[in-house]
């Protein structure tokens, strides 16, 4: 075609090109500047991210050639797929060597990635590493955090937190709650996450702070602190777990997820049993035999018990049963044959509900058959009951079967079985069976009862449960309220026994006293006490006791804890007796045979009343002179008793008063001087040799004096006879005095105790004092009356009077004597210088 092109066409094309060149030539030559974008001013980086909905695109255009530049800037934003989001064009004049800052703002930017393209047209400069005429960026608007709870996983674990391996939660398991949560946003977020568990008896709350990464899934785990119990499907019971995110992003409300679950039974054994009767032709009373096959097909070993019970509750077999998982065994069972049903069952460990854990075998034969002859339940005797009492269960039964048989009443309390004695009953005969059981627990005691027989049938319904109310043990408190002592009865005390509410009781009552650490019980007897206060008084008598004691013991019953004895001290106050004889008799100096009165004072100086007694008066030889009864003396009382006697012989008579009272004897002695009589003698010893010698000397003196008087009468009278007359009479007076000295008694004082003794005036020799037994010499007192007066005058000058401190008897003792003195009346010895 080109070859065939005409020359005219070529010329035409050239002319057009020339015209275009001419038109454009003035425009190019008019500006000529060079505009570029400063790279350092572009603030958006490659893969730039931002969060706000507005996007800012800043950069700076600079002129590099020295001429003004006219340019057009175009900005285009589109999705990665090419969908245009924004398209903006702007014209700028950039002055020579000047710069123009540019900042574009685009609103409502979508989330995710976008493309940004910036281009320039017009007077463009030269690009290099620092200057460009356009650029593009991949930008991303970040999505905010967007949380969600995806699901909850329940992991069964044991106490230590290790998984149990159970597919589902089983009874006794603990739990790990694993919550899966997702963040759909491009920003991470932190929140508090809680896990609440509620159900049956479990109520727990757990919390943890979780940081959610951008666009990630996070698992949070919570461990339960409680084990879980099996839920009961019959009542639609279950557990609830609630997971909550408490502070989610502002664009979301509170997030939560609720899940419910049930807890299955623990791993269980599965028991399958079969009971086979071996001797089916057995007769009543003989031995029936069975084989019992047992297999465990469950999940765990079986550890429980196996029991076989015949009709009426009589146990034929009861043993522990340990059977490993996957094992079977066979057990032989035997029982006394009688009509009824043998039932075997396992107990003590839970098994699967589909287990065959109870099997039975029925026996039928000709035998006795027993029914209730009265009440269909046993009568309970002996109530009301307290802990420790015996309860008696009694029932009337009748044999209505086909032959004779034996029957018993069986009672069981907490696994303890009591059986009555076997009762043999002929056809149509009736009788009573009874058994007594001690009640050992308080409250309602459950008694399982039944009639049983080794060779007979028991009618249906003759078994059941009785509830026996048992109160606390009765308390029995012994007390001693008062202890007394008196002179008549001695020791006595009042006792009380307080029996708690209930029934009357028989006790051993012992009453006595404690003497020197040993208890003595004069009263020891069995008595019956009734609820309330029983009181009495017991007289022990006159015994040596420190305390009185009451002690009790129960007879066939149990006393509640507490004291079973009481003790109380015996009062120490006693009468304080004293007896005192009056030192003066009436008359003062009686003679032998005189009727004489002796006054005796008896006293009770104690704080308690005394009793009556008897007083006796005896002489020095112990001869009873008189006796008299004494009346009761009150506390602090004293009495005077006057006794009359015939005065015994002796110059000095010692009398003793003996007061017999309260099994004691109190005495008081007193010496009395008798009056002068021919038959009376002093209590001192007079040596016979001294008396004879004194009489001889006295006779010689009298003879000499008479001879002198005779000679004087024969002499002639002197020139002064009148002056001699008195002298002639003086010997006569002396003679008379000497002559009468044998009859006259004089008093001499004992130099030791100053006791005054009466001795013959003419006696010279040894004398013994009856008070202090001192022997001393005395000389004849046959001097003139003038000499006696002189002696008396000297004695008056050299003696002093002292009084007895006990009876006030006056004594005369030498002035310079400071020794002991004995009172002749009351026999009290005291110091003479103490007056």
């Amino acid at each position: 075609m080109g070859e065939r092109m005409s020359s005219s066409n070529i010329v035409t094309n050239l002319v057009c090109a020339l015209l275009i060149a001419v038109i454009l030539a003035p425009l190019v030559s008019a500006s000529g500047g060079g505009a570029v974008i400063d790279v350092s001013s572009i603030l958006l980086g490659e893969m730039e991210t931002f969060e706000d909905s507005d996007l800012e695109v800043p950069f700076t255009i600079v002129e590099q050639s020295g001429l003004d530049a006219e340019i057009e800037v175009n900005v285009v934003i589109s999705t990665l797929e090419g969908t245009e989001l924004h398209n903006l064009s702007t014209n700028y004049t950039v002055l020579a060597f000047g710069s123009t800052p540019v900042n574009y703002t685009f609103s409502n930017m979508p989330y995710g990635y976008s493309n940004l393209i910036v281009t320039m047209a017009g007077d463009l400069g030269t690009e290099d590493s620092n200057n460009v005429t356009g650029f593009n960026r991949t930008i991303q608007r970040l999505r905010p955090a967007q949380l969600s709870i995806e699901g909850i996983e329940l992991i069964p674990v044991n106490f230590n937190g290790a998984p149990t391996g159970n597919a589902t939660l089983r009874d006794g398991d603990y739990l790990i709650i694993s919550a899966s949560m997702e963040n759909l946003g491009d920003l991470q977020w932190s929140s508090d996450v809680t896990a609440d568990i509620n159900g049956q008896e479990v109520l727990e709350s757990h919390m943890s702070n979780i940081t959610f990464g951008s666009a990630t899934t996070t698992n949070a785990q919570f461990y339960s602190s409680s084990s879980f119990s099996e839920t009961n499907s019959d009542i639609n019971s279950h557990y609830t777990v609630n997971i909550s995110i408490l502070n989610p992003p502002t664009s979301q409300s509170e997030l939560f997820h609720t899940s419910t679950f049930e807890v299955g039974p623990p791993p269980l054994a599965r028991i399958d049993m079969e009971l086979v009767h071996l001797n089916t032709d057995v007769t009543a009373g003989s031995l029936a035999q069975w084989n019992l096959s047992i297999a465990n097909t469950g999940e765990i070993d079986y550890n429980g018990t196996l029991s076989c019970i015949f009709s009426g509750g009589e146990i034929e077999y009861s043993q522990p049963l340990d059977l490993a998982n996957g094992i079977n065994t066979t057990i032989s069972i035997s029982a006394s044959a009688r009509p009824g049903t043998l039932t075997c069952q396992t107990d003590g460990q839970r098994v699967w509900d589909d287990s065959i854990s109870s099997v039975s075998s029925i026996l039928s034969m000709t035998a006795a058959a027993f029914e209730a002859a009265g009440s269909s339940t046993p009568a309970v005797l002996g109530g009301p009951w307290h802990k420790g009492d015996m309860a008696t269960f009694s029932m009337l039964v009748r044999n209505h079967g086909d032959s004779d048989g034996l029957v018993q009443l069986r009672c069981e309390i907490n696994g303890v079985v009591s059986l009555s004695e076997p009762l043999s009953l002929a056809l149509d005969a009736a009788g009573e069976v009874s058994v007594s059981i001690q009640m050992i627990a308080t409250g309602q005691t459950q008694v399982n009862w039944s009639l049983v027989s080794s060779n007979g049938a028991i009618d249906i319904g003759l078994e059941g449960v009785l509830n026996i109310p048992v109160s606390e043990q009765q308390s029995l408190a012994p007390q001693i309220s008062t202890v007394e002592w008196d002179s008549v009865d001695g020791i006595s005390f009042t006792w009380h026994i307080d029996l708690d509410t209930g029934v009357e009781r028989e006790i051993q009552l012992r009453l006595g006293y404690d003497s020197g650490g040993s208890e003595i019980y004069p009263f020891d007897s069995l008595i019956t006490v009734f609820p309330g206060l029983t009181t009495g008084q017991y007289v022990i008598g006159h015994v040596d006791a420190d305390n009185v004691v009451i002690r009790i013991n129960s007879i066939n019953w149990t006393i509640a804890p507490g004291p079973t004895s009481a003790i109380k001290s015996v009062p120490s106050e006693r009468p304080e007796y004293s007896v005192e004889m009056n030192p003066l008799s009436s008359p003062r100096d009686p003679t032998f045979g005189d009727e004489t009165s002796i006054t005796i004072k008896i006293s009770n100086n104690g704080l308690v009343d005394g009793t009556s007694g008897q007083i006796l008066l005896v002489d020095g030889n112990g001869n009873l002179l008189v006796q008299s009864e004494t009346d009761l003396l009150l506390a602090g009382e004293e009495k005077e008793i006057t006794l009359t006697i015939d005065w015994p012989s002796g110059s000095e008579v010692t009398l003793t008063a003996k007061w017999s009272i309260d099994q004691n004897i109190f005495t008081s002695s007193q010496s009395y001087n008798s009056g002068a009589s021919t038959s009376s003698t002093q209590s001192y010893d007079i040596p016979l040799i001294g008396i004879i010698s004194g009489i001889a000397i006295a006779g010689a003196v009298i003879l000499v004096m008479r001879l002198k008087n005779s000679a004087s009468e024969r002499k002639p009278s002197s020139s002064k006879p009148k002056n001699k007359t008195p002298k002639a009479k003086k010997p006569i007076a002396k003679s008379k005095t000497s002559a009468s000295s044998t009859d006259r008694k004089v008093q001499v004082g004992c130099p030791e105790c100053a006791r005054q003794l009466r001795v013959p005036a003419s006696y010279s020799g040894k004398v013994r004092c009856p008070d202090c037994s001192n022997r001393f010499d005395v000389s004849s007192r046959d001097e003139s009356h003038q000499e006696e007066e002189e002696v008396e005058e000297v004695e008056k000058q050299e003696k002093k009077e002292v009084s007895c401190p006990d009876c006030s008897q006056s004594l005369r003792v030498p002035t310079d004597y400071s020794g002991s003195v004995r009172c002749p009346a009351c026999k009290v010895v005291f110091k003479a210088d103490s007056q």
Side-chain angles (χ1 to χ4, degrees):
M1 286 180 67
E3 289 182 355
R4 291 197 298 266
M5 183 178 294
S6 64
S7 58
S8 61
N9 291 336
I10 297 172
V11 173
T12 302
N13 290 337
L14 290 173
V15 173
C16 290
L18 182 59
L19 290 174
I20 293 171
V22 172
I23 294 170
L24 293 175
L27 294 174
V28 173
S29 60
S31 58
V36 294
I37 299 173
D38 185 359
V39 173
S40 63
S41 67
I42 302 173
L43 299 182
L44 294 177
E46 186 61 38
M47 302 300 294
E48 183 73 21
T49 61
F50 62 97
E51 298 180 19
D52 294 337
S53 62
D54 293 339
L55 173 65
E56 292 187 355
V57 184
F59 57 88
T60 301
I61 303 172
V62 297
E63 200 287 316
Q64 59 182 192
S65 64
L67 298 174
D68 294 342
E70 298 290 337
I71 60 171
E72 181 182 6
V73 178
N74 181 248
V75 180
V76 177
I77 299 176
S78 62
T79 65
L80 296 181
E81 290 78 16
T83 302
E84 190 174 274
L85 301 175
H86 296 281
N87 191 338
L88 179 64
S89 294
T90 309
N91 293 320
Y92 295 97
T93 299
V94 183
L95 300 180
F97 296 113
S99 62
T100 300
V102 177
N103 188 4
Y104 290 95
T105 300
F106 301 97
S107 60
N108 299 320
M109 289 296 296
Y111 292 111
Y113 291 94
S114 301
N115 284 327
L116 170 67
I117 300 175
V118 178
T119 59
M120 290 195 307
D123 298 329
L124 302 178
T126 303
E127 291 185 342
D128 54 29
S129 59
N130 296 319
N131 299 287
V132 294
T133 58
F135 63 90
N136 60 70
R137 296 284 190 270
T138 298
I139 59 175
Q140 179 186 9
R141 181 184 176 186
L142 299 177
R143 289 171 295 179
Q146 183 72 28
L147 307 182
S148 64
I149 302 173
E150 297 301 314
I152 299 174
E153 182 183 5
L154 305 178
I155 305 172
V157 295
N158 59 20
F159 176 76
N160 296 319
T164 62
N166 296 330
T168 59
L169 200 64
R170 306 288 289 271
D171 186 89
D173 285 350
Y174 289 78
L175 180 64
I176 292 179
I177 303 171
S178 180
S180 177
M181 295 169 287
E182 186 178 6
N183 180 7
L184 300 177
D186 298 319
L187 299 175
Q188 72 176 17
W189 190 266
S190 293
S191 290
D192 290 330
V193 180
T194 62
D196 297 322
I197 309 172
N198 185 17
Q200 297 193 155
E201 296 181 358
V202 176
L203 180 61
E204 295 183 9
S205 182
H206 304 270
M207 184 172 68
S208 179
N209 185 266
I210 305 296
T211 297
F212 301 92
S214 60
T216 59
T217 299
T218 303
N219 288 323
Q221 291 188 336
F222 303 92
Y223 291 78
S224 71
S225 58
S226 304
S227 62
F228 293 85
S229 300
E230 180 183 0
T231 53
N232 190 341
S233 59
D234 295 341
I235 58 175
N236 195 28
S237 63
H238 59 267
Y239 292 90
T240 301
V241 174
N242 186 53
I243 302 296
S244 298
I245 301 176
L246 299 184
N247 47 348
T250 56
S251 61
Q252 294 181 276
S253 59
E254 182 179 348
L255 300 175
F256 63 91
H257 181 90
T258 300
S259 177
T260 61
F261 64 92
E262 295 182 354
V263 178
L268 302 174
R270 178 178 282 106
I271 298 298
D272 295 323
M273 296 196 303
E274 183 181 8
L275 183 62
V276 178
H277 186 200
L278 300 179
N279 54 342
T280 57
D281 57 348
V282 66
T283 59
S286 59
L287 192 66
Q289 295 180 326
W290 293 265
N291 275 345
L292 177 63
S293 299
I294 311 172
N296 179 6
T297 60
E299 302 168 293
I300 61 172
D301 297 345
Y302 180 80
N303 301 106
T305 59
L306 172 66
S307 61
C308 296
I309 301 176
F310 224 115
S311 297
E314 187 174 1
I315 298 176
E316 302 296 343
Y317 181 92
S318 180
Q319 294 292 333
L321 177 62
D322 298 331
L323 196 61
N325 184 28
I327 301 299
N328 59 70
T329 187
T330 300
I331 298 174
S332 296
I333 307 295
S334 61
S336 177
R338 70 269 193 188
T341 301
L342 175 69
T343 301
C344 296
Q345 64 182 18
T346 58
D347 197 10
Q349 179 177 317
R350 184 179 175 184
V351 296
W352 280 107
D353 293 340
D354 58 357
S355 295
I356 304 174
S357 57
S358 178
V359 292
S360 60
S361 177
I362 300 175
L363 288 183
S364 298
M365 63 193 71
T366 299
F370 299 98
E371 64 181 357
S375 173
S376 59
T377 58
V380 188
L381 309 176
W385 300 273
H386 295 260
K387 182 179 179 181
D389 288 349
M390 301 296 292
T392 300
F393 300 83
S394 176
M395 189 172 186
L396 292 175
V397 294
R398 188 176 73 87
N399 180 7
H400 66 98
D402 302 320
S403 63
D404 299 347
L406 299 173
V407 65
Q408 290 176 283
L409 176 61
R410 179 184 184 274
C411 294
E412 178 264 325
I413 301 176
N414 295 328
V416 179
V417 176
S418 300
L419 286 170
S420 69
E421 292 295 326
L423 175 64
S424 178
L425 291 178
L427 290 177
D428 294 326
E432 179 187 14
V433 286
S434 65
V435 60
S436 295
I437 306 174
Q438 186 178 30
M439 300 291 103
I440 60 175
T442 58
Q444 291 291 334
T445 298
Q446 181 174 296
V447 181
N448 299 307
W449 70 272
S450 62
L451 287 179
V452 295
S453 173
S454 61
N455 57 4
I458 304 297
D459 283 5
I460 296 175
L462 295 183
E463 59 182 342
V465 177
L466 293 173
N467 289 308
I468 308 301
V470 180
S471 302
E472 294 287 347
Q473 294 165 313
Q474 279 180 278
S475 62
L476 193 64
Q479 295 179 352
I480 297 175
S481 58
T482 58
V483 183
E484 298 178 342
W485 184 96
D486 61 47
S487 300
V488 177
D489 297 326
I491 301 173
S492 63
F493 64 93
T494 301
W495 55 268
H496 305 287
I497 297 177
D498 190 6
L499 178 62
D500 199 5
T501 303
V503 298
E504 67 271 14
R505 298 292 186 178
E506 186 177 16
I507 64 169
Q508 179 191 22
L509 175 63
R510 306 173 74 190
L511 304 174
Y513 59 94
D514 177 3
S515 178
S518 299
E519 292 185 357
I520 301 170
Y521 295 100
F523 183 89
D524 189 340
S525 180
L526 301 181
I527 68 169
T528 299
V529 292
F530 294 85
L533 198 64
T534 301
T535 185
Q537 187 173 26
Y538 182 64
V539 178
I540 298 177
H542 293 277
V543 296
D544 183 14
D546 301 321
N547 305 286
V548 294
V549 183
I550 177 174
R551 188 175 297 277
I552 55 175
N553 295 309
S554 61
I555 305 298
N556 298 325
W557 65 286
T558 304
I559 303 177
T564 57
S565 63
I567 187 170
K568 199 164 189 177
S569 60
V570 176
S572 59
E573 292 80 6
R574 295 290 185 274
E576 296 180 8
Y577 297 115
S578 64
V579 58
E580 180 182 357
M581 297 180 65
N582 192 317
L584 301 177
S585 62
S586 179
R588 179 69 178 266
D589 295 316
T591 59
F592 176 70
D594 288 349
E595 185 178 275
T596 306
S597 297
I598 301 297
T599 301
I600 302 171
K601 182 172 68 175
I602 57 176
S603 304
N604 176 9
N605 299 319
L607 300 178
V608 294
D609 296 343
T611 185
S612 59
Q614 188 179 51
I615 193 162
L616 299 88
L617 190 62
V618 299
D619 60 15
N621 296 324
N623 298 318
L624 178 63
L625 302 178
V626 67
Q627 69 181 31
S628 177
E629 302 297 325
T630 61
D631 296 332
L632 180 147
L633 279 183
L634 301 177
E637 185 181 10
E638 64 179 28
K639 291 182 179 179
E640 288 189 351
I641 300 174
T642 301
L643 301 178
T644 302
I645 61 173
D646 293 333
W647 193 251
S649 62
S651 59
E652 183 177 353
V653 176
T654 299
L655 301 179
T656 300
K658 296 183 177 181
W659 188 19
S660 176
I661 188 170
D662 277 352
Q663 299 180 350
N664 293 303
I665 297 178
F666 301 89
T667 62
S668 176
S669 297
Q670 184 69 49
S671 294
Y672 299 91
N673 294 324
S674 300
S677 66
T678 56
S679 61
S680 65
T681 59
Q682 293 291 336
S683 60
Y684 52 81
D685 296 332
I686 302 177
L688 296 177
I689 297 175
I691 295 174
I692 296 172
S693 299
I695 294 173
I697 293 172
V701 172
I702 294 170
L703 180 59
V704 171
M705 293 178 66
R706 287 183 175 179
L707 290 176
K708 283 183 178 183
N709 291 336
S710 299
S712 299
E713 290 176 355
R714 289 193 298 267
K715 287 181 181 181
S717 303
S718 61
S719 56
K720 295 179 180 180
K722 292 182 178 180
N723 293 334
K724 299 293 184 177
T725 301
K727 292 183 179 179
K729 294 180 180 178
K730 189 173 182 180
I732 296 174
K734 276 190 174 181
S735 178
K736 290 180 179 179
T737 304
S738 299
S740 62
S741 64
T742 56
D743 297 330
R744 186 171 56 90
K745 297 279 180 75
V746 295
Q747 286 189 342
V748 295
C750 173
E752 181 67 23
C753 68
R755 169 69 188 269
Q756 298 299 307
L757 306 179
R758 299 175 65 216
V759 298
S762 61
Y763 174 73
S764 295
K766 293 282 189 182
V767 177
R768 183 179 68 85
C769 177
D771 288 345
C772 62
S773 300
N774 179 44
R775 292 181 179 274
F776 58 96
D777 293 323
V778 297
S779 58
S780 173
R781 302 303 174 93
D782 191 14
E783 290 92 4
S784 63
H785 183 69
Q786 181 179 359
E787 291 173 349
E788 289 180 356
E789 290 178 353
E790 292 175 357
V791 172
E792 289 178 359
E793 183 179 355
V794 171
E795 287 180 353
K796 290 180 181 178
Q797 295 173 353
E798 297 179 354
K799 293 291 183 71
K800 65 178 180 180
E801 280 193 2
V802 296
S803 297
C804 172
D806 196 37
C807 68
S808 302
Q809 176 73 30
S810 296
L811 304 176
R812 298 178 71 247
V813 298
T815 305
D816 57 353
Y817 179 70
S818 61
S820 297
V821 179
R822 183 173 183 178
C823 177
C826 65
K827 308 302 182 185
V828 172
V829 177
F830 60 95
K831 288 287 187 177
D833 58 356
S834 65
Q835 299 296 312

